[in-house]
Amino acid sequence: MRILLIEDDKAIGGAVRDHSVADSHAVDWAETLASAHDHAKTTTYGLVLLDLYLPDGDGIAYLRRMRKQGDKTPVIILTARDQISDRIGGLNAGADDYLVKPFNLGELSARIHAVGRRYGNSPDPTLIFGTLDISPAERRIERNGKAIELTAREWSVLDSLLNRTGSIVSKAQIEDTLYAFGAEIESNAVEVYVSRLRKKLGAEHIVTIRGVGYRFATT
């Protein structure tokens, strides 16, 4: 998933970014609302992690503006505001979840996956495709009952395909989940990771649509 992290605290932002990247997400980190706005103009995100106290404004106002403009990108608020009234206000403004600082990074991962399932095409925690049992939230795969290990970037590619199961996903869309801004994109990276996934999951599950992209086959 491509995530926009809006957080001005360097310690928290760095920890969330590093943990999310290790969890196979691509993260663009904005420390101001102005920077977040610039990112959002050029990139489509699967999720926004939003702090409320920011140097150039209030996160709630930013969220309300998103929703007023018809932006339905899922938003999880990360804030020190812990009053019930604050949580109600955040959810009423259009947030999908609300996590109070300090929080456990493992819990953040679980909430990110939960929101992803809610908005993706794969609402069930465990997906079954022939001999494959896949649990995206638990980062667990079994093939014929045997556990399969994937790297973080292999999970990124697989998530891109699973979130659009049955539909064609372009190479550019997959690259968008692999690399955050400023990262160097290797020309054949997608082909390399798709090849690795085919070896681990079975070549029949990932179909190449020449000149267009890839599709995860359910049968």
Side-chain angles (χ1 to χ4, degrees), residues 99-183:
L99 197 55
V100 176
K101 300 175 183 177
F103 50 81
N104 180 276
L105 291 171
E107 180 181 1
L108 174 61
S109 291
R111 292 182 184 237
I112 288 173
H113 290 308
V115 170
R117 290 197 305 271
R118 196 181 310 153
Y119 280 83
N121 295 323
S122 303
D124 296 327
T126 300
L127 310 173
I128 300 176
F129 304 107
T131 60
L132 288 178
D133 285 14
I134 305 175
S135 175
E138 297 176 1
R139 287 296 186 252
R140 177 181 55 79
I141 296 180
E142 291 184 358
R143 182 183 180 188
N144 291 316
K146 182 179 179 180
I148 303 295
E149 297 294 330
L150 300 186
T151 66
R153 285 192 169 179
E154 287 168 357
W155 269 113
S156 286
V157 174
L158 181 59
D159 281 339
S160 297
L161 297 171
L162 289 177
N163 286 336
R164 302 173 181 85
T165 299
S167 300
I168 299 173
V169 184
S170 70
K171 178 179 176 180
Q173 287 174 313
I174 296 175
E175 287 177 340
D176 204 37
T177 65
L178 282 172
Y179 300 95
F181 284 131

Side-chain angles (χ1 to χ4, degrees), residues 9-213:
D9 185 296
K10 294 188 182 300
I12 294 175
V16 170
R17 178 198 57 197
D18 293 348
H19 183 81
S20 298
V21 168
D23 205 19
S24 80
H25 303 295
V27 180
D28 297 323
W29 180 9
E31 297 185 42
T32 65
L33 292 177
S35 178
H37 180 69
D38 290 340
H39 284 317
K41 285 193 300 185
T42 59
T43 303
T44 299
Y45 290 98
L47 176 70
V48 175
L49 299 177
L50 177 64
D51 184 23
L52 297 186
Y53 291 113
L54 293 154
D56 56 344
D58 179 56
I60 290 292
Y62 180 87
L63 174 57
R64 288 196 177 113
R65 185 164 59 251
M66 281 179 60
R67 298 307 188 224
K68 186 176 181 180
Q69 294 172 346
D71 188 340
K72 298 180 181 179
T73 305
V75 174
I76 298 178
I77 290 176
L78 309 178
T79 181
R81 298 182 189 175
D82 60 355
Q83 298 298 311
I84 293 297
S85 58
D86 293 322
R87 300 186 191 195
I88 292 173
L91 294 172
N92 285 342
D96 297 89
D97 205 347
Y98 194 106
L99 197 55
V100 176
K101 300 175 183 177
F103 50 81
N104 180 276
L105 291 171
E107 180 181 1
L108 174 61
S109 291
R111 292 182 184 237
I112 288 173
H113 290 308
V115 170
R117 290 197 305 271
R118 196 181 310 153
Y119 280 83
N121 295 323
S122 303
D124 296 327
T126 300
L127 310 173
I128 300 176
F129 304 107
T131 60
L132 288 178
D133 285 14
I134 305 175
S135 175
E138 297 176 1
R139 287 296 186 252
R140 177 181 55 79
I141 296 180
E142 291 184 358
R143 182 183 180 188
N144 291 316
K146 182 179 179 180
I148 303 295
E149 297 294 330
L150 300 186
T151 66
R153 285 192 169 179
E154 287 168 357
W155 269 113
S156 286
V157 174
L158 181 59
D159 281 339
S160 297
L161 297 171
L162 289 177
N163 286 336
R164 302 173 181 85
T165 299
S167 300
I168 299 173
V169 184
S170 70
K171 178 179 176 180
Q173 287 174 313
I174 296 175
E175 287 177 340
D176 204 37
T177 65
L178 282 172
Y179 300 95
F181 284 131
E184 184 177 350
I185 299 177
E186 299 171 15
S187 60
N188 66 335
V190 172
E191 289 83 355
V192 169
Y193 290 119
V194 166
S195 176
R196 292 177 182 175
L197 284 173
R198 282 177 169 149
K199 289 179 181 178
K200 293 181 178 182
L201 307 183
E204 70 276 11
H205 289 293
I206 302 178
V207 179
T208 298
I209 311 299
R210 292 196 177 279
V212 182

